Amino acid sequence: MEAHLIELLEFEQQRQRALTQPDLILLEKLLAEDLIHIHSTGMVHNKPQFLRHVERMGGFTAICRETPDIRLAGDIALLTGNTCNTVRLLETGEEKVRSGFSTLVLRRTSQSWQIVLSQLTPYKT
């Protein structure tokens, strides 16, 4: 099980790099075809919509995340924990900080892990 934890932590580092560089080719590989991405604002994207969104915004400016809690159940992994994302608003280009509790659900395929669900629930301010 320890090998899976290391593999999943490396996956999370790749995800953060793909979002901040942005590396849309890598990001496309990390996302499942049936992805549901729920933004901190409540906006919901599928995989093609999310990839277009990241491309239009120019990626995330920064992601600061504590080491996530990782739970495994067969071919499903749940990564949860606090995170702080700095993003560019599409409308103005202004940078905004989005802090909250992040949930990632990953599914293991024959080749790799892929994100099925991503959600950032903002902290109440």
Side-chain angles (χ1 to χ4, degrees), residues 1-5 8 70-79 106 108 113:
M1 182 144 130
E2 185 66 31
H4 289 305
L5 295 178
L8 289 164
I70 298 174
R71 299 178 190 192
L72 286 171
D75 289 337
I76 300 295
L78 180 64
L79 284 67
L106 282 63
R108 185 181 9 231
W113 290 94

mmCIF file of all heavy atoms in Angstrom, residues 1-5 8 70-79 106 108 113:
data_model
loop_
_atom_site.group_PDB
_atom_site.id
_atom_site.type_symbol
_atom_site.label_atom_id
_atom_site.label_comp_id
_atom_site.label_asym_id
_atom_site.label_seq_id
_atom_site.Cartn_x
_atom_site.Cartn_y
_atom_site.Cartn_z
ATOM 1 N N MET A 1 0.831 -1.199 0.000
ATOM 2 C CA MET A 1 0.000 0.000 0.000
ATOM 3 C C MET A 1 0.870 1.256 0.000
ATOM 4 O O MET A 1 0.510 2.248 -0.589
ATOM 5 C CB MET A 1 -0.921 -0.007 1.214
ATOM 6 C CG MET A 1 -1.829 1.187 1.239
ATOM 7 S SD MET A 1 -3.425 0.776 1.890
ATOM 8 C CE MET A 1 -3.623 2.057 3.078
ATOM 9 N N GLU A 2 2.032 1.205 0.617
ATOM 10 C CA GLU A 2 2.923 2.363 0.667
ATOM 11 C C GLU A 2 3.306 2.841 -0.733
ATOM 12 O O GLU A 2 3.376 4.028 -0.991
ATOM 13 C CB GLU A 2 4.188 2.022 1.475
ATOM 14 C CG GLU A 2 5.102 3.193 1.675
ATOM 15 C CD GLU A 2 4.526 4.300 2.539
ATOM 16 O OE1 GLU A 2 3.738 4.012 3.438
ATOM 17 O OE2 GLU A 2 4.872 5.476 2.301
ATOM 18 N N ALA A 3 3.532 1.905 -1.654
ATOM 19 C CA ALA A 3 3.880 2.271 -3.034
ATOM 20 C C ALA A 3 2.759 3.066 -3.680
ATOM 21 O O ALA A 3 3.007 4.021 -4.412
ATOM 22 C CB ALA A 3 4.195 1.021 -3.852
ATOM 23 N N HIS A 4 1.519 2.689 -3.402
ATOM 24 C CA HIS A 4 0.382 3.433 -3.953
ATOM 25 C C HIS A 4 0.321 4.857 -3.403
ATOM 26 O O HIS A 4 -0.013 5.790 -4.125
ATOM 27 C CB HIS A 4 -0.939 2.722 -3.662
ATOM 28 C CG HIS A 4 -1.124 1.459 -4.437
ATOM 29 N ND1 HIS A 4 -1.036 1.398 -5.811
ATOM 30 C CD2 HIS A 4 -1.393 0.196 -4.030
ATOM 31 C CE1 HIS A 4 -1.248 0.168 -6.217
ATOM 32 N NE2 HIS A 4 -1.455 -0.589 -5.152
ATOM 33 N N LEU A 5 0.645 5.023 -2.124
ATOM 34 C CA LEU A 5 0.625 6.361 -1.535
ATOM 35 C C LEU A 5 1.656 7.266 -2.204
ATOM 36 O O LEU A 5 1.363 8.412 -2.537
ATOM 37 C CB LEU A 5 0.864 6.284 -0.024
ATOM 38 C CG LEU A 5 -0.208 5.564 0.786
ATOM 39 C CD1 LEU A 5 0.167 5.525 2.259
ATOM 40 C CD2 LEU A 5 -1.561 6.209 0.593
ATOM 41 N N LEU A 8 0.432 8.147 -5.643
ATOM 42 C CA LEU A 8 -0.648 9.141 -5.618
ATOM 43 C C LEU A 8 -0.133 10.534 -5.256
ATOM 44 O O LEU A 8 -0.615 11.538 -5.784
ATOM 45 C CB LEU A 8 -1.762 8.686 -4.677
ATOM 46 C CG LEU A 8 -2.555 7.503 -5.219
ATOM 47 C CD1 LEU A 8 -3.360 6.839 -4.109
ATOM 48 C CD2 LEU A 8 -3.459 7.936 -6.364
ATOM 49 N N ILE A 70 -5.044 10.462 2.076
ATOM 50 C CA ILE A 70 -5.279 9.540 0.961
ATOM 51 C C ILE A 70 -5.933 8.271 1.495
ATOM 52 O O ILE A 70 -5.443 7.667 2.442
ATOM 53 C CB ILE A 70 -3.955 9.189 0.243
ATOM 54 C CG1 ILE A 70 -3.325 10.444 -0.345
ATOM 55 C CG2 ILE A 70 -4.202 8.140 -0.834
ATOM 56 C CD1 ILE A 70 -1.955 10.229 -0.956
ATOM 57 N N ARG A 71 -7.045 7.919 0.859
ATOM 58 C CA ARG A 71 -7.743 6.680 1.199
ATOM 59 C C ARG A 71 -7.912 5.864 -0.075
ATOM 60 O O ARG A 71 -8.286 6.411 -1.111
ATOM 61 C CB ARG A 71 -9.104 6.978 1.807
ATOM 62 C CG ARG A 71 -8.987 7.767 3.090
ATOM 63 C CD ARG A 71 -10.319 8.094 3.650
ATOM 64 N NE ARG A 71 -10.162 9.059 4.737
ATOM 65 C CZ ARG A 71 -11.118 9.375 5.574
ATOM 66 N NH1 ARG A 71 -12.302 8.814 5.461
ATOM 67 N NH2 ARG A 71 -10.905 10.256 6.523
ATOM 68 N N LEU A 72 -7.630 4.579 0.035
ATOM 69 C CA LEU A 72 -7.741 3.676 -1.112
ATOM 70 C C LEU A 72 -8.855 2.668 -0.891
ATOM 71 O O LEU A 72 -9.024 2.164 0.218
ATOM 72 C CB LEU A 72 -6.440 2.908 -1.310
ATOM 73 C CG LEU A 72 -5.264 3.678 -1.897
ATOM 74 C CD1 LEU A 72 -4.004 2.845 -1.826
ATOM 75 C CD2 LEU A 72 -5.556 4.063 -3.325
ATOM 76 N N ALA A 73 -9.597 2.409 -1.961
ATOM 77 C CA ALA A 73 -10.609 1.357 -1.964
ATOM 78 C C ALA A 73 -10.540 0.681 -3.330
ATOM 79 O O ALA A 73 -11.180 1.123 -4.289
ATOM 80 C CB ALA A 73 -11.993 1.936 -1.704
ATOM 81 N N GLY A 74 -9.703 -0.329 -3.448
ATOM 82 C CA GLY A 74 -9.521 -1.008 -4.726
ATOM 83 C C GLY A 74 -8.910 -0.069 -5.756
ATOM 84 O O GLY A 74 -7.831 0.479 -5.537
ATOM 85 N N ASP A 75 -9.621 0.150 -6.850
ATOM 86 C CA ASP A 75 -9.129 1.012 -7.928
ATOM 87 C C ASP A 75 -9.591 2.455 -7.798
ATOM 88 O O ASP A 75 -9.520 3.224 -8.756
ATOM 89 C CB ASP A 75 -9.567 0.451 -9.285
ATOM 90 C CG ASP A 75 -8.821 -0.822 -9.642
ATOM 91 O OD1 ASP A 75 -7.710 -1.034 -9.105
ATOM 92 O OD2 ASP A 75 -9.341 -1.610 -10.450
ATOM 93 N N ILE A 76 -10.085 2.831 -6.616
ATOM 94 C CA ILE A 76 -10.529 4.198 -6.355
ATOM 95 C C ILE A 76 -9.667 4.794 -5.246
ATOM 96 O O ILE A 76 -9.400 4.144 -4.235
ATOM 97 C CB ILE A 76 -12.019 4.236 -5.936
ATOM 98 C CG1 ILE A 76 -12.915 3.670 -7.031
ATOM 99 C CG2 ILE A 76 -12.447 5.644 -5.529
ATOM 100 C CD1 ILE A 76 -12.934 4.476 -8.315
ATOM 101 N N ALA A 77 -9.225 6.025 -5.444
ATOM 102 C CA ALA A 77 -8.470 6.749 -4.417
ATOM 103 C C ALA A 77 -9.179 8.067 -4.135
ATOM 104 O O ALA A 77 -9.690 8.719 -5.054
ATOM 105 C CB ALA A 77 -7.047 7.020 -4.886
ATOM 106 N N LEU A 78 -9.198 8.442 -2.876
ATOM 107 C CA LEU A 78 -9.790 9.693 -2.436
ATOM 108 C C LEU A 78 -8.689 10.533 -1.802
ATOM 109 O O LEU A 78 -8.044 10.090 -0.851
ATOM 110 C CB LEU A 78 -10.898 9.400 -1.421
ATOM 111 C CG LEU A 78 -11.645 10.575 -0.822
ATOM 112 C CD1 LEU A 78 -12.411 11.326 -1.906
ATOM 113 C CD2 LEU A 78 -12.595 10.091 0.263
ATOM 114 N N LEU A 79 -8.439 11.712 -2.370
ATOM 115 C CA LEU A 79 -7.437 12.638 -1.846
ATOM 116 C C LEU A 79 -8.179 13.868 -1.348
ATOM 117 O O LEU A 79 -8.878 14.534 -2.126
ATOM 118 C CB LEU A 79 -6.439 13.061 -2.932
ATOM 119 C CG LEU A 79 -5.350 12.056 -3.332
ATOM 120 C CD1 LEU A 79 -5.925 10.856 -4.028
ATOM 121 C CD2 LEU A 79 -4.312 12.741 -4.192
ATOM 122 N N LEU A 106 -9.998 9.646 -7.696
ATOM 123 C CA LEU A 106 -9.220 9.099 -8.798
ATOM 124 C C LEU A 106 -9.611 7.645 -9.027
ATOM 125 O O LEU A 106 -9.958 6.934 -8.076
ATOM 126 C CB LEU A 106 -7.726 9.157 -8.490
ATOM 127 C CG LEU A 106 -7.003 10.490 -8.646
ATOM 128 C CD1 LEU A 106 -7.535 11.545 -7.708
ATOM 129 C CD2 LEU A 106 -5.529 10.299 -8.432
ATOM 130 N N ARG A 108 -8.108 4.134 -10.947
ATOM 131 C CA ARG A 108 -6.939 3.511 -11.576
ATOM 132 C C ARG A 108 -7.389 2.830 -12.866
ATOM 133 O O ARG A 108 -8.349 2.062 -12.886
ATOM 134 C CB ARG A 108 -6.289 2.495 -10.646
ATOM 135 C CG ARG A 108 -5.012 1.936 -11.216
ATOM 136 C CD ARG A 108 -4.321 0.891 -10.357
ATOM 137 N NE ARG A 108 -5.079 0.431 -9.235
ATOM 138 C CZ ARG A 108 -4.619 0.394 -7.986
ATOM 139 N NH1 ARG A 108 -3.401 0.809 -7.714
ATOM 140 N NH2 ARG A 108 -5.367 -0.066 -7.005
ATOM 141 N N TRP A 113 -3.527 6.485 -13.036
ATOM 142 C CA TRP A 113 -4.652 7.041 -12.288
ATOM 143 C C TRP A 113 -5.237 8.194 -13.103
ATOM 144 O O TRP A 113 -4.502 8.875 -13.814
ATOM 145 C CB TRP A 113 -4.189 7.578 -10.937
ATOM 146 C CG TRP A 113 -3.784 6.520 -9.963
ATOM 147 C CD1 TRP A 113 -2.522 6.045 -9.755
ATOM 148 C CD2 TRP A 113 -4.635 5.804 -9.082
ATOM 149 N NE1 TRP A 113 -2.548 5.072 -8.794
ATOM 150 C CE2 TRP A 113 -3.836 4.907 -8.351
ATOM 151 C CE3 TRP A 113 -6.007 5.830 -8.824
ATOM 152 C CZ2 TRP A 113 -4.353 4.052 -7.389
ATOM 153 C CZ3 TRP A 113 -6.521 4.980 -7.857
ATOM 154 C CH2 TRP A 113 -5.700 4.095 -7.162
#
